[in-house]
Short mmCIF file of all heavy atoms in Angstrom, two decimals:
data_model
loop_
_atom_site.label_atom_id
_atom_site.label_comp_id
_atom_site.label_asym_id
_atom_site.label_seq_id
_atom_site.Cartn_x
_atom_site.Cartn_y
_atom_site.Cartn_z
N LEU A 196 -23.97 19.40 52.01
CA LEU A 196 -23.22 20.04 53.09
C LEU A 196 -21.81 19.47 53.24
O LEU A 196 -21.07 19.89 54.11
CB LEU A 196 -23.96 19.89 54.41
CG LEU A 196 -25.27 20.67 54.53
CD1 LEU A 196 -26.03 20.24 55.78
CD2 LEU A 196 -25.02 22.17 54.53
N GLU A 197 -21.45 18.50 52.40
CA GLU A 197 -20.15 17.85 52.52
C GLU A 197 -19.17 18.35 51.46
O GLU A 197 -18.42 19.30 51.70
CB GLU A 197 -20.30 16.33 52.43
CG GLU A 197 -20.97 15.70 53.64
CD GLU A 197 -22.48 15.88 53.65
OE1 GLU A 197 -23.09 15.79 52.55
OE2 GLU A 197 -23.04 16.12 54.73
N ASP A 198 -19.19 17.76 50.28
CA ASP A 198 -18.19 18.10 49.28
C ASP A 198 -18.57 19.30 48.42
O ASP A 198 -17.71 19.89 47.76
CB ASP A 198 -17.90 16.89 48.39
CG ASP A 198 -19.14 16.34 47.71
OD1 ASP A 198 -20.19 16.29 48.36
OD2 ASP A 198 -19.06 15.96 46.53
N ARG A 199 -19.86 19.69 48.42
CA ARG A 199 -20.28 20.86 47.63
C ARG A 199 -21.22 21.73 48.47
O ARG A 199 -22.39 21.87 48.16
CB ARG A 199 -20.93 20.41 46.33
CG ARG A 199 -20.01 19.54 45.49
CD ARG A 199 -20.61 19.12 44.17
NE ARG A 199 -20.62 20.23 43.23
CZ ARG A 199 -20.98 20.09 41.95
NH1 ARG A 199 -21.34 18.91 41.50
NH2 ARG A 199 -20.97 21.13 41.14
N PRO A 200 -20.69 22.33 49.53
CA PRO A 200 -21.52 23.04 50.49
C PRO A 200 -21.67 24.52 50.14
O PRO A 200 -20.98 25.04 49.26
CB PRO A 200 -20.73 22.90 51.78
CG PRO A 200 -19.30 22.96 51.31
CD PRO A 200 -19.28 22.24 49.98
N PRO A 201 -22.55 25.24 50.85
CA PRO A 201 -22.57 26.70 50.76
C PRO A 201 -21.24 27.24 51.26
O PRO A 201 -20.81 26.90 52.36
CB PRO A 201 -23.72 27.10 51.70
CG PRO A 201 -24.51 25.85 51.93
CD PRO A 201 -23.55 24.72 51.80
N ASN A 202 -20.57 28.08 50.47
CA ASN A 202 -19.25 28.58 50.89
C ASN A 202 -18.99 30.00 50.38
O ASN A 202 -17.85 30.35 50.08
CB ASN A 202 -18.15 27.63 50.41
CG ASN A 202 -18.15 27.43 48.90
OD1 ASN A 202 -19.03 27.92 48.20
ND2 ASN A 202 -17.18 26.69 48.40
N MET A 203 -20.03 30.80 50.29
CA MET A 203 -19.87 32.15 49.77
C MET A 203 -19.01 33.01 50.69
O MET A 203 -18.20 33.82 50.21
CB MET A 203 -21.23 32.80 49.57
CG MET A 203 -21.16 34.12 48.80
SD MET A 203 -20.58 33.93 47.09
CE MET A 203 -22.07 33.26 46.34
N ALA A 204 -19.15 32.85 52.00
CA ALA A 204 -18.38 33.67 52.93
C ALA A 204 -16.88 33.41 52.77
O ALA A 204 -16.07 34.35 52.81
CB ALA A 204 -18.82 33.39 54.36
N ALA A 205 -16.49 32.16 52.58
CA ALA A 205 -15.08 31.83 52.41
C ALA A 205 -14.54 32.42 51.11
O ALA A 205 -13.40 32.93 51.08
CB ALA A 205 -14.89 30.31 52.42
N ALA A 206 -15.33 32.37 50.05
CA ALA A 206 -14.89 32.95 48.78
C ALA A 206 -14.75 34.46 48.89
O ALA A 206 -13.77 35.04 48.40
CB ALA A 206 -15.88 32.59 47.67
N LYS A 207 -15.70 35.10 49.54
CA LYS A 207 -15.62 36.55 49.74
C LYS A 207 -14.36 36.91 50.51
O LYS A 207 -13.64 37.86 50.15
CB LYS A 207 -16.86 37.04 50.50
CG LYS A 207 -16.92 38.54 50.76
CD LYS A 207 -18.24 38.91 51.42
CE LYS A 207 -18.39 40.41 51.59
NZ LYS A 207 -17.55 40.94 52.67
N ALA A 208 -14.07 36.17 51.55
CA ALA A 208 -12.87 36.44 52.36
C ALA A 208 -11.60 36.26 51.53
O ALA A 208 -10.65 37.05 51.64
CB ALA A 208 -12.85 35.52 53.58
N ALA A 209 -11.56 35.22 50.69
CA ALA A 209 -10.37 34.97 49.87
C ALA A 209 -10.19 36.07 48.84
O ALA A 209 -9.06 36.51 48.58
CB ALA A 209 -10.50 33.61 49.18
N ILE A 210 -11.27 36.53 48.25
CA ILE A 210 -11.19 37.60 47.25
C ILE A 210 -10.74 38.91 47.90
O ILE A 210 -9.90 39.64 47.37
CB ILE A 210 -12.55 37.75 46.54
CG1 ILE A 210 -12.84 36.50 45.69
CG2 ILE A 210 -12.57 39.00 45.66
CD1 ILE A 210 -14.25 36.43 45.15
N GLU A 211 -11.29 39.19 49.07
CA GLU A 211 -10.88 40.41 49.79
C GLU A 211 -9.42 40.32 50.22
O GLU A 211 -8.68 41.32 50.15
CB GLU A 211 -11.79 40.62 50.98
CG GLU A 211 -13.22 41.03 50.59
CD GLU A 211 -14.16 41.14 51.77
OE1 GLU A 211 -13.84 40.58 52.85
OE2 GLU A 211 -15.21 41.78 51.62
N ALA A 212 -8.98 39.16 50.67
CA ALA A 212 -7.59 38.98 51.10
C ALA A 212 -6.62 39.18 49.94
O ALA A 212 -5.47 39.56 50.16
CB ALA A 212 -7.41 37.59 51.71
N ALA A 213 -7.09 38.93 48.72
CA ALA A 213 -6.25 39.13 47.54
C ALA A 213 -6.29 40.57 47.05
O ALA A 213 -5.71 40.88 46.00
CB ALA A 213 -6.70 38.18 46.43
N GLY A 214 -6.98 41.43 47.78
CA GLY A 214 -7.06 42.84 47.41
C GLY A 214 -8.08 43.14 46.34
O GLY A 214 -8.03 44.20 45.70
#
Side-chain angles (χ1 to χ4, degrees):
L196 291 170
E197 289 78 39
D198 57 320
R199 302 183 75 174
N202 57 355
M203 190 64 76
K207 180 176 185 286
I210 293 170
E211 290 175 341

